[in-house]
Amino acid sequence: MRDTYARQGTYWRESLRLTVILLLVWAAASFLPGWYAVELNAIKFQGWPLGFYMEAQGCLIIFLLIVWIYDRWMVRIERRHGFHEED
């Protein structure tokens, strides 16, 4: 019983750490291009100012990448701690 609680605690800490890190990346990807839009717009990306591109497309791409990373890492964490259900 004690081993189960220890596994659950470790699982919870690892999943919480992953969630916090990915949320910080998402917040940075959402807000930083807006704050530095003038500087980013001096750079062109596929004919568009980089600040505009990051706000219009880049944040969406980063969000989808974060969802994919979260899924892959959570499967690894679940398998490591014995909580993964086989399909």
Side-chain angles (χ1 to χ4, degrees):
M1 183 91 158
R2 180 172 269 175
D3 182 49
T4 303
Y5 288 134
R7 272 191 358 217
Q8 288 175 345
T10 306
Y11 168 80
W12 176 249
R13 279 189 301 277
E14 287 185 31
S15 64
L16 185 61
R17 184 180 313 125
L18 173 64
T19 302
V20 168
I21 289 169
L22 292 177
L23 282 174
L24 289 173
V25 169
W26 184 33
S30 297
F31 294 114
L32 289 178
W35 287 335
Y36 296 106
V38 174
E39 292 86 358
L40 289 173
N41 284 339
I43 303 168
K44 300 288 184 196
F45 181 77
Q46 295 184 355
W48 294 92
L50 185 60
F52 173 77
Y53 181 81
M54 282 302 296
E55 287 296 323
Q57 301 296 326
C59 292
L60 177 62
I61 293 168
I62 290 172
F63 176 72
L64 293 175
L65 183 63
I66 286 172
V67 170
W68 182 80
I69 290 170
Y70 179 80
D71 177 56
R72 296 289 90 210
W73 280 7
M74 282 305 296
V75 168
R76 287 183 199 158
I77 291 171
E78 289 171 356
R79 284 186 179 145
R80 187 178 321 133
H81 295 288
F83 298 120
H84 183 69
E85 296 180 7
E86 295 301 323
D87 295 331

